[in-house]
Amino acid sequence: MSRARRIGVLGGTFDPIHIGHLRGALEVAEALALDELRLIPSARPPHRDTPQVSARQRLDMVALAARGVAPLQVDDRELRRDRPSYSIDTLESLRAELAADDRLFLLLGWDAFCGLPGWHRWEELLEHCHIIVLQRPDADSEPPETLRDLLAARSVGDPGAIDQVSGQIAFVWQTPLAVSATQIRRTLGEGRSVRFLVPDAVLDYIQAHDLYRAPH
Ligand code: ATP
């Protein structure tokens, strides 16, 4: 029988993917000894799309960034739907494809984690996966009351030692890289360079397709 796999999931708009996403993904993959970390670009309502940058182009850039970098993988399941997916739907669809004892780790920033009680069917998430909270120095706010009880019941100290199929919460410290896709779009819109904030292959793609340029 084959060994259970350890699979991480990082969703985002990746508009565009940048070194903050990539460095964070790699650090978590190492801390958790993941076999695979899936980058899952999210669909957006058409009116929320960045003008001139399609979902396909966001996906292409994620694929270019992940190419040849083990254990990063691209997963386009949310883009195969034309509207935003709930995380619970994405996890259920992943679970349906995996072996019953594969471990799934949902990666969330501290802010996203604090907003969890507002998510569709959020209490079921831990039936399918573990939740890994990515910690950055700015994450000093208090979690809401509901989550404090959950944390008391489910958190574990050493994320690398998690061996159940699902149901636990752990924190992973990240090298702080104060870069955001918003900043990258703004910089490009002003006609300045984003070299070294995105992988070279992503930069080449942005230039070749003339993305994120101010309308002229
Ligand atoms: P935008 O500026 O367009 O809101 P973003 O740069 O925050 O985008 P998202 O696609 O929204 O990127 O982020 C996807 C995930 O990556 C989120 O969980 C987010 O917390 C994480 N992330 C974003 N930027 C960084 C960073 N600099 N370092 C570590 N993780 C990051």
Side-chain angles (χ1 to χ4, degrees), residues 10-16 18-21 23-24 42 44 107-110 112 134 136 174-183 185:
L10 177 64
T13 48
F14 302 124
D15 188 22
H18 55 68
I19 57 164
H21 301 128
R23 190 60 222 166
S42 49
R44 288 194 295 194
L107 315 186
L108 294 178
W110 174 252
L134 310 178
R136 292 190 258 173
Q174 297 227 276
T175 303
L177 288 169
V179 49
S180 71
T182 305
Q183 173 206 348
R185 291 193 301 273

Side-chain angles (χ1 to χ4, degrees), residues 23-25 29 51 53 71-72 74 76 78 80-81 103 113 117 129 141 146 150-151 164 173 178 180 198-199 204 214:
R23 190 60 222 166
V53 181
L72 302 187
V74 188
D76 69 350
E78 292 195 6
R80 284 187 253 122
R81 303 158 63 108
R103 280 80 170 124
F113 178 70
C129 63
S141 54
T146 342
L150 188 74
L151 280 170
Q164 284 88 330
W173 177 256
S180 71
V198 299
D204 291 347

Side-chain angles (χ1 to χ4, degrees), residues 106-121:
L106 177 66
L107 315 186
L108 294 178
W110 174 252
D111 287 354
F113 178 70
C114 288
L116 212 55
W119 291 19
H120 183 57
R121 293 167 57 201

Side-chain angles (χ1 to χ4, degrees), residues 97-161:
E97 292 171 13
L98 301 176
D101 60 350
D102 284 344
R103 280 80 170 124
L104 254 184
F105 299 86
L106 177 66
L107 315 186
L108 294 178
W110 174 252
D111 287 354
F113 178 70
C114 288
L116 212 55
W119 291 19
H120 183 57
R121 293 167 57 201
W122 73 277
E123 281 158 308
E124 293 168 53
L125 290 170
L126 284 169
E127 292 170 19
H128 299 288
C129 63
H130 302 289
I131 292 178
I132 302 300
V133 186
L134 310 178
Q135 280 210 296
R136 292 190 258 173
D138 53 345
D140 55 0
S141 54
E142 282 290 309
E145 187 70 42
T146 342
L147 291 181
R148 249 174 274 160
D149 295 342
L150 188 74
L151 280 170
R154 305 293 193 108
S155 3
V156 293
D158 178 4

